[in-house]
Amino acid sequence: MKYIDLKILLNDNQILNIEMQVIDYGNWPERSLTYLCRAFDHLKSGEDYIMVHPTMHIGIIDFNIKHLTPEFYSEFMMLNTKNHEVYTAHVRADSSARPSQHFWLRVKGPG
């Protein structure tokens, strides 16, 4: 298996998109951002923008992103590059990279 994708609507109306990828095609930032934007853009014509659901893309990858410092877990958000103020917490892309290791992902619900 090369990849697995899940899109989940959580009880508190957050959208969670999870993708697992083993092969590095050299396009992970663009790919994960595309999946994040597709999940975030769920409003129908005429719906109020306040109805947008917070959306998170979690990438579990078996490679390091070449232009970034290798980390086990990274969190990316839209922010002001000058003062680092968060523009919105409604979109977030997280990546977990640990080449050649096995991953266990556990999503715990209430209770």
Side-chain angles (χ1 to χ4, degrees):
M1 177 184 300
K2 295 180 184 176
Y3 59 87
I4 184 167
D5 299 331
L6 299 170
K7 183 178 176 185
I8 303 164
L9 178 61
L10 301 175
N11 290 341
D12 60 356
N13 287 325
Q14 290 187 55
I15 297 172
L16 181 60
N17 189 73
I18 302 171
E19 180 176 3
M20 295 176 73
Q21 181 126 3
V22 175
I23 298 172
D24 182 4
Y25 293 105
N27 63 359
W28 182 253
E30 295 80 10
R31 181 184 180 106
S32 61
L33 187 57
T34 299
Y35 277 96
L36 175 64
C37 290
R38 285 180 186 163
F40 183 73
D41 185 21
H42 62 84
L43 293 180
K44 294 176 178 56
S45 181
E47 285 187 301
D48 193 317
Y49 291 106
I50 199 71
M51 301 301 293
V52 145
H53 300 309
T55 305
M56 183 182 352
H57 176 84
I58 298 176
I60 302 170
I61 55 180
D62 195 26
F63 51 87
N64 291 315
I65 302 169
K66 289 178 182 41
H67 67 281
L68 299 175
T69 302
E71 294 182 300
F72 174 71
Y73 188 81
S74 303
E75 180 181 322
F76 304 95
M77 298 179 74
M78 291 181 65
L79 57 83
N80 181 318
T81 58
K82 185 175 180 181
N83 62 19
H84 300 105
E85 291 177 337
V86 174
Y87 180 68
T88 179
H90 271 59
V91 290
R92 196 171 101 193
D94 295 10
S95 289
S96 181
R98 194 168 179 188
S100 303
Q101 298 293 319
H102 294 282
F103 288 98
W104 287 97
L105 176 67
R106 182 175 176 193
V107 179
K108 185 176 179 183

